[in-house]
Amino acid sequence: SQELEQSPQSLIVQEGKNLTINCTSSKTLYGLYWYKQKYGEGLIFLMMLQKGGEEKSHEKITAKLDEKKQQSSLHITASQPSHAGIYLCGAGDNYGQNFVFGPGTRLSVLP
Amino acid sequence: NAGVTQTPKFQVLKTGQSMTLQCAQDMNHNSMYWYRQDPGMGLRLIYYSASEGTTDKGEVPNGYNVSRLNKREFSLRLESAAPSQTSVYFCASSEAGALKQYFGPGTRLTVT
C-alpha cells in the first residue's frame, strides 16, 4: 500500500519568513492533494497536483510535484499567523479506495 | 450550502456501549468517507462509499460498521466501544472519481 512521509514533523517560524514542507511517496502518485487543518477543525482543501513537474499557486502558497511524481513540496512565502495549522498531503487511486494521508506537519507562526 | 455536517460534535462512551455517528452532505456527491485521526498516526480511512448502495473497507475497519442510507447520508456505528476507539472522527465527501474531498468538522469521541 502507498505510504506518505512528511517533513518536517513540526515547524516554528517568525512571521514574514518563508518555509517549505515536503511530502514523499513510496510509489508513483496518481494525484497529490494538499490540505490544511486548523486546530480542532476539519480539513480544508488547498491544491491538487496531477502532472509531473506541475506547480500551482494560491495567494502565498505554492505547491510543486516533481517529474517522477513521488515527491511534492509546499512553499509558503512571507508567512503570517493565519498560515498556522497542520498541513497534510494526501494521495490515492482514482476511486478513493486507497486514499492515504501523510502524518502532517504542524506549523506555528510567531507574530 | 452547509457542506458536510456531522453529529454529535462530542461524545463520551463507556466501554461496551454502542453509538452511531451521523454524517450528511448537501453537495450531491457520490462518494463519502469516514476517517479517524489519532496523534502521531495521521488520518486513517475506516470505510468509504463510492456511491449510494455500496460500501468498502478502508485501512482500519475493525470494530466499525457503516450504512449509506441514501446519497446524502453516511453513518458510522460502533457496536461495542473500546478505549482504542477514542479518537476524532471525520466524515468527507467527493464527486465520483475525484479525490478532492470536503470534510466535516469532526466528532471527538472518548471511550472510558
Side-chain angles (χ1 to χ4, degrees):
Chain A
S1 62
Q2 188 165 54
E3 291 185 358
L4 296 175
E5 296 180 354
Q6 286 185 239
S7 63
Q9 188 174 9
S10 64
L11 197 53
I12 302 173
V13 300
Q14 203 72 38
E15 182 177 0
K17 296 293 186 183
N18 302 336
L19 63 105
T20 300
I21 297 168
N22 295 301
C23 175
T24 303
S25 170
S26 58
K27 297 182 179 181
T28 299
L29 296 161
Y30 174 81
L32 191 287
Y33 296 73
W34 281 101
Y35 288 84
K36 178 186 176 184
Q37 183 180 26
K38 290 187 176 181
Y39 302 118
E41 299 182 11
L43 279 68
I44 299 172
F45 171 82
L46 293 175
M47 275 174 276
M48 174 184 72
L49 304 164
Q50 285 191 303
K51 299 177 182 177
E54 187 175 9
E55 179 176 322
K56 286 187 178 179
S57 294
H58 177 67
E59 296 181 343
K60 295 185 177 180
I61 301 176
T62 300
K64 300 178 184 179
L65 183 62
D66 74 340
E67 290 290 345
K68 292 184 178 180
K69 297 177 66 175
Q70 283 192 277
Q71 191 163 21
S72 178
S73 62
L74 186 81
H75 184 77
I76 299 177
T77 303
S79 58
Q80 300 170 349
S82 60
H83 288 129
I86 301 172
Y87 290 81
L88 300 100
C89 61
D93 56 30
N94 193 33
Y95 303 100
Q97 178 177 3
N98 298 310
F99 199 87
V100 295
F101 282 93
T105 295
R106 186 179 293 266
L107 171 64
S108 299
V109 180
L110 304 177
Chain B
N1 287 349
V4 180
T5 57
Q6 292 182 237
T7 56
K9 288 188 177 180
F10 301 93
Q11 184 71 50
V12 178
L13 292 177
K14 294 185 177 179
T15 298
Q17 287 185 318
S18 63
M19 79 160 296
T20 300
L21 280 63
Q22 306 288 351
C23 174
Q25 52 91 10
D26 61 2
M27 295 172 283
N28 202 36
H29 285 166
N30 283 304
S31 301
M32 297 186 74
Y33 313 80
W34 274 106
Y35 294 91
R36 59 177 291 174
Q37 186 175 36
D38 303 289
M41 302 291 290
L43 276 154
R44 292 179 291 170
L45 183 64
I46 305 172
Y47 270 93
Y48 82 105
S49 171
S51 62
E52 184 179 355
T54 68
T55 61
D56 287 283
K57 295 179 180 179
E59 183 183 353
V60 289
N62 292 344
Y64 305 95
N65 286 303
V66 290
S67 295
R68 185 71 184 267
L69 304 170
N70 47 55
K71 193 171 186 179
R72 288 188 65 249
E73 299 171 291
F74 189 36
S75 63
L76 179 72
R77 182 162 179 83
L78 287 71
E79 289 291 350
S80 180
S84 61
Q85 294 178 305
T86 293
S87 186
V88 181
Y89 291 85
F90 289 99
C91 176
S93 70
S94 69
E95 297 176 4
L99 297 177
K100 176 184 175 182
Q101 297 177 35
Y102 295 79
F103 282 78
T107 294
R108 191 174 295 273
L109 174 67
T110 301
V111 183
T112 61

